[in-house]
Amino acid sequence: MRARIWLVIMLLLAGGCSGEEVEQFAGMELQAWVHAGQEKERLVIEDQVTRFNETHPAIQVSLTMIPERSYNAQLQAAAMAGDLPDLLELDGPYVANYVWQGQLQPLDGLLAPELLADLLPSIINQGTYKGRLYSVGVFDSGLGLYGRRSMLERAGARIPAGPEEAWSASEFAGLLKALAEDDDDGAVLDLKLNYPGEWFTYAFSPIIQSAGGDLIDRSDYGSAAGRLNSPEAVTALVEIQAWLAAGYVDANVDDAAFAGGRVALSWVGHWQYPDYREAVGDDLVVLPLPDFGQGSRTGQGSWCWGMTVTGAKAAAAATFLHFLLEPEEVLAMATANGAVPATGRALARSDLYGPAGPLRLFADQLAEGYSVARPQTPAYPVITSAFQQAFHDIRHGSNVQASLDRAVAVIDQDIADNKGYQ
């Protein structure tokens, strides 16, 4: 059966509507759900589905867009009702939870080895659970600092060329102090505190990992104790709390702290580059996050594709995924949303992320081991919720150790209640 599926896939990839394709897939319809992201993303995926349907008439993909803020809730409701689509987008860190629920099929044997070898290691890492691949993305994410070079140089800062040269935590604190002394209100750093929910785990758990802690013990994913509330994690978040207490962080309620010129540094992801480049021009510099002791770390992971179907439908769905992961299609989506292209072939052709691109830092971080996947465990929804609450409390002055201890208790209780998610 597997040989037959491979034959069909190879015929489809070769182009044209073969008799084998018609025999295997004629009249086959695939339901696909995606999050309704920014308008440019929506236009690209709509165009891709239209072109796929035109060139693969035996397979017709029907696209449903769901608002991003309610997307995961609607997926969960559909899963409980047994009404998930054939193909669906998921936010990367939630993949393990859907696998544990029995909702996703492994992609083993459905994707060509050459395609898998071309994917960024971070894409494979995020989509793998217990040794099997369940999802692939057409783009990945990157986290770093955007700076105004002129302000940094005026403050006497050196400019790190890459993550191996990242500022130490103490060096960064000294830089914030120097910048604040030359600033009207002393607020010189944007942490995107105006962003909601998952941002806080994505953006600030790398601080803990850079210090030597983590959100959970990844040896068995059985407990967060001794990792999330470790001395290293506490020390790192005490440092962040000190920045806040000193008034170095702009509340950024208007989301214009950096672009509007109020701050010299913005802690955010790849997606801000177009707006920042337009606002700052050649004065813009892209920098790694500070090193809190164990090397600079960055978040990774983004929207990815999984499937719920088997047999001939799985082969048809895999054909659609192969189409989306062609270099031209990867670049179309990456151009629309500014994200890191998911394949080596697309990266090499990217004006932003290629060898001479202004955002090469984000690609290098993903390829060279500086990025850390959010924990691949079904407990992740509870982990991220507990960490978000802890960060909220710490941000508003609560004791760091006590806040992290409470988060650990919530996480470990959930794992115990679910019998270790075995």
Side-chain angles (χ1 to χ4, degrees), residues 15 48 81 104 155 178 186 244 248 263 281 286 291-292 300 334 348 369 377 389 409:
Q48 287 173 328
L104 296 182
L244 291 157
Y248 297 151
V263 301
V286 183
D291 176 0
F292 285 80
Q300 69 169 68
T377 168
Q389 183 62 55

Side-chain angles (χ1 to χ4, degrees), residues 126-147:
Q126 187 71 75
T128 299
Y129 177 60
K130 292 190 173 181
R132 304 192 75 178
L133 183 67
Y134 287 91
S135 72
V136 291
V138 301
F139 54 86
D140 209 333
S141 64
L143 184 65
L145 286 164
Y146 292 92

Side-chain angles (χ1 to χ4, degrees), residues 208 228-229 234 237-238 241 385-411:
I208 291 175
L228 179 53
N229 59 352
V234 170
L237 290 182
V238 164
Q241 195 176 60
S385 176
F387 181 77
Q388 288 167 32
Q389 183 62 55
F391 191 89
H392 176 273
D393 294 343
I394 291 165
R395 171 189 172 186
H396 291 94
S398 293
N399 179 271
V400 173
Q401 182 75 64
S403 299
L404 294 179
D405 287 344
R406 286 193 294 271
V408 166
V410 170
I411 294 165

Side-chain angles (χ1 to χ4, degrees), residues 85-157:
D86 306 308
L87 277 163
L88 65 157
E89 271 193 321
L90 304 107
D91 198 0
Y94 293 92
V95 168
N97 190 267
Y98 281 95
V99 175
W100 176 71
Q101 293 179 38
Q103 305 295 344
L104 296 182
Q105 296 297 323
L107 303 180
D108 304 343
L110 289 169
L111 301 179
E114 313 86 74
L115 174 61
L116 295 176
D118 196 33
L119 289 168
L120 293 178
S122 58
I123 294 288
I124 298 293
N125 188 15
Q126 187 71 75
T128 299
Y129 177 60
K130 292 190 173 181
R132 304 192 75 178
L133 183 67
Y134 287 91
S135 72
V136 291
V138 301
F139 54 86
D140 209 333
S141 64
L143 184 65
L145 286 164
Y146 292 92
R148 291 174 176 266
R149 184 183 292 272
S150 58
M151 290 184 177
L152 298 176
E153 291 179 344
R154 191 163 63 243

Side-chain angles (χ1 to χ4, degrees), residues 25-377:
F25 296 139
M28 186 166 291
E29 297 183 0
L30 294 174
Q31 299 293 322
W33 287 7
V34 299
H35 78 290
Q38 53 185 290
E39 182 181 8
K40 290 180 180 179
E41 286 181 300
R42 297 196 298 271
L43 292 174
V44 168
I45 188 61
E46 286 174 344
D47 177 64
Q48 287 173 328
V49 168
T50 296
R51 287 187 290 105
F52 177 84
N53 287 344
E54 289 172 350
T55 55
H56 296 76
I59 308 169
Q60 295 297 288
V61 176
S62 177
L63 191 67
T64 298
M65 291 191 178
I66 298 172
E68 183 171 344
R69 288 184 181 271
S70 63
Y71 188 82
N72 193 56
Q74 292 203 44
L75 280 190
Q76 287 285 1
M80 292 179 65
D83 196 28
L84 283 171
D86 306 308
L87 277 163
L88 65 157
E89 271 193 321
L90 304 107
D91 198 0
Y94 293 92
V95 168
N97 190 267
Y98 281 95
V99 175
W100 176 71
Q101 293 179 38
Q103 305 295 344
L104 296 182
Q105 296 297 323
L107 303 180
D108 304 343
L110 289 169
L111 301 179
E114 313 86 74
L115 174 61
L116 295 176
D118 196 33
L119 289 168
L120 293 178
S122 58
I123 294 288
I124 298 293
N125 188 15
Q126 187 71 75
T128 299
Y129 177 60
K130 292 190 173 181
R132 304 192 75 178
L133 183 67
Y134 287 91
S135 72
V136 291
V138 301
F139 54 86
D140 209 333
S141 64
L143 184 65
L145 286 164
Y146 292 92
R148 291 174 176 266
R149 184 183 292 272
S150 58
M151 290 184 177
L152 298 176
E153 291 179 344
R154 191 163 63 243
R158 66 179 181 88
I159 307 298
E164 70 284 352
E165 297 181 7
W167 292 313
S168 68
S170 60
E171 189 178 7
F172 188 66
L175 173 58
L176 294 179
K177 184 175 185 295
L179 289 167
E181 290 171 352
D182 192 33
D183 187 87
D184 290 341
D185 65 1
V188 295
L189 173 65
D190 168 29
L191 293 177
K192 291 295 180 187
L193 297 178
N194 55 304
Y195 279 5
E198 179 64 14
W199 164 250
F200 293 94
T201 308
Y202 176 78
F204 304 120
S205 60
I207 294 171
I208 291 175
Q209 291 144 356
S210 174
D214 206 344
L215 293 170
I216 193 169
D217 183 345
R218 300 197 191 212
S219 66
D220 61 3
Y221 293 95
S223 174
R227 301 297 288 150
L228 179 53
N229 59 352
S230 65
E232 295 83 0
V234 170
T235 297
L237 290 182
V238 164
E239 181 73 14
I240 307 306
Q241 195 176 60
W243 302 347
L244 291 157
Y248 297 151
V249 180
D250 191 300
N252 197 28
V253 293
D254 60 355
D255 200 31
F258 187 79
R262 295 200 306 268
V263 301
L265 291 163
S266 181
W267 184 301
V268 70
H270 64 270
W271 54 88
Q272 281 294 153
Y273 176 77
D275 290 344
Y276 285 178
R277 174 67 184 178
E278 182 178 357
V280 179
D282 291 339
D283 201 31
L284 184 68
V285 60
V286 183
L287 305 158
L289 296 185
D291 176 0
F292 285 80
Q294 300 295 318
S296 176
R297 294 291 182 267
T298 175
Q300 69 169 68
S302 193
W303 293 95
C304 54
W305 288 93
M307 68 172 68
T308 64
V309 289
T310 59
K313 268 208 165 186
T319 302
F320 181 61
L321 294 183
H322 275 89
F323 172 81
L324 293 180
L325 286 163
E326 284 295 313
E328 296 79 8
E329 306 304 333
V330 171
L331 286 171
M333 184 58 76
T335 299
N337 62 15
V340 186
T343 67
R345 288 185 297 165
L347 266 178
R349 293 166 50 180
S350 171
D351 292 336
L352 288 179
Y353 297 97
L359 299 183
R360 184 65 185 186
L361 170 71
F362 294 123
D364 288 343
Q365 289 180 151
L366 293 172
E368 295 174 6
Y370 292 95
S371 66
V372 182
R374 281 160 285 179
Q376 294 115 313
T377 168

